[in-house]
């Protein structure tokens, strides 16, 4: 079973990994607390491991981390904050274009998944946010 976090972020990370070597990735799942019912909480370990497995299957990474933040905010929106540490030089405009193109492709099949903001760049780190309404 692939959980929504993996479904939301794998295409974006996979696209970047096709063009750049990703040394590390971190995904922070910002989930509305109301969405985390007893059944979801009981399967939290499976959620984390399946998300990391799906992401490491998208490419070869040296380190990965998936975290969950249960947000007290009452919303039906799940946010996935993605941090990628890239090896070597990259073109921010190229990465922004890749993410934008991936978002456009995904929106045809899953309009609830969208790139929330333009990606941010700091040294070798790329950060972007994906929202998925359910």
């Amino acid at each position: 079973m692939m959980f929504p976090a993996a479904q939301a972020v794998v295409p974006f990370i996979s696209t970047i990994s096709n063009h750049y070597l990703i040394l590390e990735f971190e995904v922070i799942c910002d989930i509305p607390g109301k969405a985390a019912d007893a059944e979801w909480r009981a399967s939290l370990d499976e959620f984390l491991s399946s998300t990391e497995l799906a992401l490491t299957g998208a490419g070869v990474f040296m380190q990965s981390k998936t975290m969950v933040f249960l947000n007290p905010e009452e919303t039906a929106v799940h946010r996935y904050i993605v941090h990628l540490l890239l090896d070597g030089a990259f073109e921010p405009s190229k990465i922004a274009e890749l993410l934008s193109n991936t978002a456009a492709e995904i929106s045809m099949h899953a309009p609830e998944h969208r790139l929330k903001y333009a990606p941010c760049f700091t040294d070798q780190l790329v950060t972007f946010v994906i929202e998925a309404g359910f």
Side-chain angles (χ1 to χ4, degrees), residues 57-111:
V60 179
F61 305 104
M62 298 175 82
Q63 289 189 9
S64 67
K65 185 188 321 182
T66 304
M67 296 179 284
V68 175
F69 170 71
L70 294 179
N71 192 331
E73 171 182 318
E74 291 193 28
T75 178
V77 176
H78 296 212
R79 288 182 194 91
Y80 305 101
I81 300 121
V82 181
H83 303 284
L84 303 177
L85 181 64
L86 303 182
D87 182 30
F90 61 87
E91 297 174 44
S93 61
K94 172 80 172 174
I95 289 179
E97 179 183 355
L98 290 169
L99 291 172
S100 179
N101 290 345
T102 302
E105 286 179 38
I106 290 172
S107 71
M108 291 189 297
H109 307 287

Side-chain angles (χ1 to χ4, degrees), residues 106-126:
I106 290 172
S107 71
M108 291 189 297
H109 307 287
E112 68 278 2
H113 292 141
R114 61 193 163 278
L115 192 60
K116 179 66 176 172
Y117 308 108
C120 297
F121 305 95
T122 307
D123 298 324
Q124 292 177 267
L125 187 67
V126 177

